[in-house]
Amino acid sequence: MTLEKLLSYDWGIMAPEFTILIVATLLSLMDLFMPNKTSRKPLALLGIAGVIIAIVFSVLQIGTEPTSILFDTYRFDAFALAFKLLFLVATGLILLLAIDYEGEREWEFRGEFFYLLLTALLGAMMMASSADLITLFVGLELLSISSYILAGIRKNNLHSNEAAFKYVVNGGIATAITLFGMSYIYGLTGSTNLYEISEALTNPAVEQNAFLLVMAFVMLLVGLAFKIAAAPFHMWAPDVYQGSATPVTAFLSVVSKSAGFALILKMFLITFLSVQGWHNAIILELQPYIAVIAGVTMVVGNVVALRQRNIKRMFAYSSIAHAGYVLVPFVSLSLLVFKMTWFYLLAYLLMNIGAFAVIQFVTEKERSEDFTAFSGLYKRAPWVAVMMAVFILSLAGLPFTAGFIGKFGIFMSSLGTGHYVLASVMIATTVISYVYYFNILVQIFFRKGEVDRLLPSIGLLIVMIICGAGTIFFGIYPGAAYDFFQEFDMNELFIK
Amino acid sequence: MSSVPLSVYLVLALILFCIGLFGALTKRNAVIVLISIELMLNAVNINLIAFAKYGINPSITGQIFSLFTITVAAAEAAVGLAILIALYRNRKTVNVDEMDIMKR
C-alpha cells in the first residue's frame, strides 16, 4: 500500500475512535509517569473529557453519507453511529461512577481501570462499524480482553479473582465457538467482507452445503449469546457481575451487552437475510430456535432472580431477563427492529446505570451487598430512594418511564408479526419480575434500618440525576428519542 | 499437488475443536482448561488455512485471518494466565472445582 493510497482515505470518519484511542494512550502514559502514591482519580476526568469530545464528533457526523475505508474493513454508516453514541454516553456515565468508587486499599492509586475502560469502549465502537469478519473479531476481542482484566482489577479480592477467571474461561470458549462459525462462513464464501459474503452466499455451491451454513449460523449465535448473556449461555453472568467492582458490573451489563446486540443485528441481518436455507430464507427457518432462546432467557432471568439476596446478583439475573426482551424484536424481524432495539437499549442504559449508581452508593456505605442493605433508605437519603424507585419502576416496565415505552414497543411489534406466544411469555415474566423489583422498594420505603443520614458524592449524584431525568423524560416524551433516531437511516446498513 | 482432500482437514479441525471443548468443560486443573481453549482456537486456524487453499473460493484472506487469530489468542492466554496467577496468590489453588465461593 502506498502512502498516497493511505492518505487518500477519509480518516475524518474515524474521529471518535481516534479520540478514544489517543485519550487511552495518554492516560496510560500519564499513569506510568505519575508518582506512586498520587491519586489517579483526575485521570477519570480526562477520560470523561475524551468521551465528550468523541460524542461531539459523532453528533457532528449525523447525516454523513455511508463511507468505507481501509479496503472496506471499516465502514461508517448510520447504524454504526447510532450504536456508537449509546456506547459513548454509557461509558461517560460509568467513568463518573468510577470516580467515586471507593474500592479497597490501593484502589485510588491504580490507573489501569480508566484506560482499560476506554480500550474496551474502543473495541465496542470498532465492532459497531466494521464490515469485515477480521475487524469484527479484533474489535470483539479488544472489548472482551479489556473486560476480563476489568473484572479482575481488584486483584486482592477473592471474589474479583474468581469472577475474572470464570469470565476468561467462558469468554474464551465463546470466542472459539464464534470463530469456528466464522471460519465456516469464510470457507463457504472465500471472503471475510460481510457484504461480499452476503453476495457469495447466494451461490448455488453454497446451497449444496447448507448444513455447513446452518452449523456456522448456530455456532455464531451460540458465541454471541454468551456475549449478551442469553440463556442457556448465561451462567457466567451472575458470578462475574457479583465479583466485579460496581462500575465494571455496570459496564458489562450495559456497554458489553449493547455491543453484543449491535454485532448480532449487523452480522445476521447483513449476511444471512437473503440466504436460502432448505425451504425458506435461512433466518426464517431458524427463527423458532431464536424465539426459544429469547423465551427461555426471559423466564430463567426473572425466575432465578426471585431467590437472590445479593443485590448485584439479582441485577445480573435482571439483566439476563432484559437481554431476553431485546432479543424479541430480532425474532419478530419487523421493519422496526432497529428502532425498537435501539430505544430499548437507550432506556436500559439510563435505568440500569442509574440503578447501579444507587447500588454502588448503598453497598459502599453499608459494606454489604445483601439487599437488606437498602432497608430504610427512604429515611436516610430520601432523594436517592426516590431515584432508585424511578429506576426500578422503569426496569419493571411501569408507565411514565422509558422502560415502559421500550417494552411496550417491543411487545406491540411482536404482536404485529404474530408472535403471540413470545408476547405472552414477555407479559408473564414481566409480572414475575415485579416480585423482586418491588421487594427492593419494600425494603427502601417500609423497612426500618439505620437512621443516620447519607449523602451521595458529587459524581454519583450527577449520574443519578442524568439517568433519572432521562428515564422520566423518555417515558413521558418518547417522541424526542424516536425523532432523533429518524436522523439515522438504517437502510444504509444494507447498501453496499 | 497434494491428494489430501479438504474434508480430512475439516474433520481434523472438528475433532480438535471437540477435544478442546470437552477439556475446557470437564478438566479440573485451570491450566489445562486454558490449554483446551487454545486447542479450540487452533482448530479454527486449521480450518482457515485449509479453506484458504482448498475452499470454494480459495484466497489469501484465510491466512491473514489466522494470523490475527493467533495474535489475539496469545493475548487472551496471557491475560488468562495473569488472572490465574492473581487467583493462585490469594487462594493457593488452581483447581476449578474449588472456585465456588460466590454462590453454592
Side-chain angles (χ1 to χ4, degrees):
Chain A
M1 196 194 307
T2 58
L3 189 63
E4 288 84 60
K5 176 86 177 159
L6 207 58
L7 288 177
S8 70
Y9 286 135
D10 184 7
W11 291 106
I13 57 171
M14 278 182 90
E17 278 89 348
F18 279 128
T19 315
I20 298 298
L21 177 64
I22 291 169
V23 173
T25 319
L26 211 63
L27 288 188
S28 65
L29 287 176
M30 286 171 72
D31 181 41
L32 188 64
F33 290 116
M34 270 167 116
N36 262 346
K37 293 287 174 192
T38 314
S39 172
R40 258 49 169 182
K41 302 223 156 148
L43 293 184
L45 294 176
L46 193 60
I48 292 169
V51 168
I52 290 174
I53 295 173
I55 291 177
V56 171
F57 276 130
S58 307
V59 170
L60 290 177
Q61 281 177 337
I62 292 176
T64 315
E65 289 291 298
T67 334
S68 49
I69 59 172
L70 294 171
F71 290 108
D72 295 341
T73 55
Y74 179 93
R75 183 186 152 88
F76 169 88
D77 54 23
F79 172 84
L81 190 58
F83 275 92
K84 267 189 253 178
L85 274 172
L86 284 186
F87 303 152
L88 283 167
V89 171
T91 311
L93 291 172
I94 288 163
L95 276 169
L96 266 176
L97 278 189
I99 293 182
D100 288 331
Y101 184 70
E102 311 254 325
E104 52 189 28
R105 69 193 162 90
E106 304 284 299
W107 168 266
E108 205 178 327
F109 310 119
R110 309 202 62 86
E112 300 98 346
F113 177 81
F114 302 113
Y115 54 83
L116 282 173
L117 205 61
L118 291 182
T119 51
L121 167 68
L122 186 66
M125 289 164 76
M126 287 307 292
M127 273 162 78
S129 61
S130 59
D132 194 283
L133 289 183
I134 299 180
T135 36
L136 268 181
F137 165 67
V138 173
L140 178 69
E141 282 305 276
L142 184 56
L143 170 63
S144 308
I145 293 180
S146 308
S147 359
Y148 301 154
I149 310 174
L150 283 174
I153 204 150
R154 296 183 298 168
K155 65 176 181 181
N156 297 318
N157 181 306
L158 284 179
H159 289 269
S160 188
N161 293 151
E162 200 178 301
F165 189 71
K166 282 177 178 164
Y167 197 19
V168 169
V169 169
N170 281 302
I173 295 174
T175 307
I177 294 176
T178 317
L179 264 180
F180 208 70
M182 283 183 183
S183 76
Y184 278 141
I185 290 184
Y186 165 70
L188 286 169
T189 58
S191 166
T192 52
N193 186 292
L194 292 182
Y195 295 90
E196 281 171 26
I197 287 173
S198 76
E199 274 171 31
L201 281 179
T202 48
N203 185 337
V206 174
E207 238 166 277
Q208 292 158 17
N209 295 309
F211 69 99
L212 267 187
L213 191 62
V214 172
M215 204 161 133
F217 185 97
V218 171
M219 290 188 115
L220 281 177
L221 190 68
V222 169
L224 297 176
F226 260 108
K227 194 86 228 149
I228 59 168
F233 314 105
H234 64 284
M235 297 306 292
W236 59 274
D239 282 352
V240 174
Y241 285 23
Q242 183 187 344
S244 309
T246 313
V248 178
T249 312
F251 183 82
L252 292 179
S253 72
V254 175
V255 180
S256 197
K257 195 171 286 233
S258 313
F261 278 108
L263 188 53
I264 286 184
L265 286 179
K266 181 156 200 158
M267 189 111 102
F268 290 135
L269 293 187
I270 293 178
T271 50
F272 286 103
L273 201 56
S274 54
V275 181
Q276 278 295 310
W278 285 286
H279 309 291
N280 216 329
I282 197 164
I283 209 157
L284 293 177
E285 264 181 25
L286 293 171
Q287 214 175 32
Y289 300 100
I290 307 174
V292 169
I293 290 183
V296 172
T297 307
M298 289 187 269
V299 172
V300 167
N302 281 322
V303 171
V304 184
L306 290 177
R307 52 185 292 269
Q308 303 305 324
R309 290 188 61 85
N310 183 301
I311 187 78
K312 276 158 89 179
R313 222 178 159 79
M314 187 188 281
F315 268 76
Y317 280 105
S318 133
S319 91
I320 292 170
H322 283 276
Y325 302 143
V326 188
L327 269 178
V328 172
F330 181 60
V331 176
S332 49
L333 267 191
S334 65
L335 290 171
L336 298 173
V337 51
F338 294 113
K339 193 171 168 182
M340 292 306 154
T341 310
W342 189 83
F343 185 82
Y344 200 86
L345 288 176
L346 173 69
Y348 178 69
L349 179 168
L350 291 170
M351 59 204 185
N352 218 37
I353 292 183
F356 271 111
V358 180
I359 289 174
Q360 181 180 324
F361 170 65
V362 172
T363 52
E364 262 175 12
K365 297 284 184 211
E366 286 290 302
R367 299 258 156 236
S368 153
E369 289 183 353
D370 196 274
F371 81 108
T372 48
F374 281 87
S375 54
L377 185 66
Y378 181 64
K379 289 271 162 29
R380 306 177 70 189
W383 284 107
V384 177
V386 170
M387 286 292 186
M388 188 61 174
V390 169
F391 300 135
I392 283 184
L393 292 180
S394 178
L395 283 164
L398 266 77
F400 304 113
T401 56
F404 170 75
I405 305 288
K407 210 176 259 180
F408 185 72
I410 288 175
F411 177 71
M412 291 315 282
S413 77
S414 66
L415 276 189
T417 48
H419 290 84
Y420 300 114
V421 179
L422 206 54
S424 37
V425 169
M426 198 173 159
I427 292 295
T429 52
T430 302
V431 173
I432 295 175
S433 75
Y434 290 165
V435 177
Y436 63 88
Y437 285 133
F438 290 167
N439 246 337
I440 305 176
L441 289 187
V442 168
Q443 291 288 337
I444 291 176
F445 290 100
F446 301 117
R447 293 281 180 273
K448 283 204 173 59
E450 306 282 322
V451 283
D452 56 321
R453 302 282 289 191
L454 297 178
L455 272 180
S457 44
I458 187 82
L460 284 180
L461 199 63
I462 297 174
V463 174
M464 285 178 207
I465 289 172
I466 294 177
C467 292
T471 308
I472 295 173
F473 176 73
F474 290 127
I476 293 170
Y477 189 56
Y482 285 137
D483 286 346
F484 181 67
F485 192 71
Q486 291 303 324
E487 302 283 322
F488 302 100
D489 180 15
M490 285 297 146
N491 291 326
E492 282 176 11
L493 185 64
F494 301 108
I495 306 162
K496 200 191 164 187
Chain B
M1 197 172 81
S2 156
S3 58
V4 183
L6 173 65
S7 53
V8 176
Y9 292 103
L10 294 190
V11 170
L12 171 69
L14 198 60
I15 292 173
L16 264 185
F17 185 82
C18 292
I19 294 175
L21 188 58
F22 178 77
L25 296 178
T26 57
K27 289 293 166 188
R28 298 176 67 216
N29 188 315
V31 180
I32 306 282
V33 170
L34 289 177
I35 292 176
S36 301
I37 293 173
E38 291 304 302
L39 211 57
M40 291 166 80
L41 290 168
N42 283 328
V44 175
N45 289 336
I46 295 181
N47 251 355
L48 287 172
I49 301 295
F51 280 132
K53 188 148 173 64
Y54 302 112
I56 293 175
N57 300 312
S59 67
I60 193 85
T61 328
Q63 301 184 21
I64 313 264
F65 200 162
S66 70
L67 283 178
F68 277 92
T69 320
I70 294 168
T71 320
V72 171
E76 200 170 281
V79 168
L81 281 175
I83 288 170
L84 186 58
I85 291 172
L87 183 72
Y88 180 74
R89 281 197 183 133
N90 293 332
R91 291 284 304 274
K92 299 285 175 247
T93 176
V94 289
N95 192 334
V96 176
D97 290 351
E98 290 172 33
M99 299 179 192
D100 59 352
I101 53 169
M102 274 189 262
K103 179 87 182 184
R104 348 200 145 205

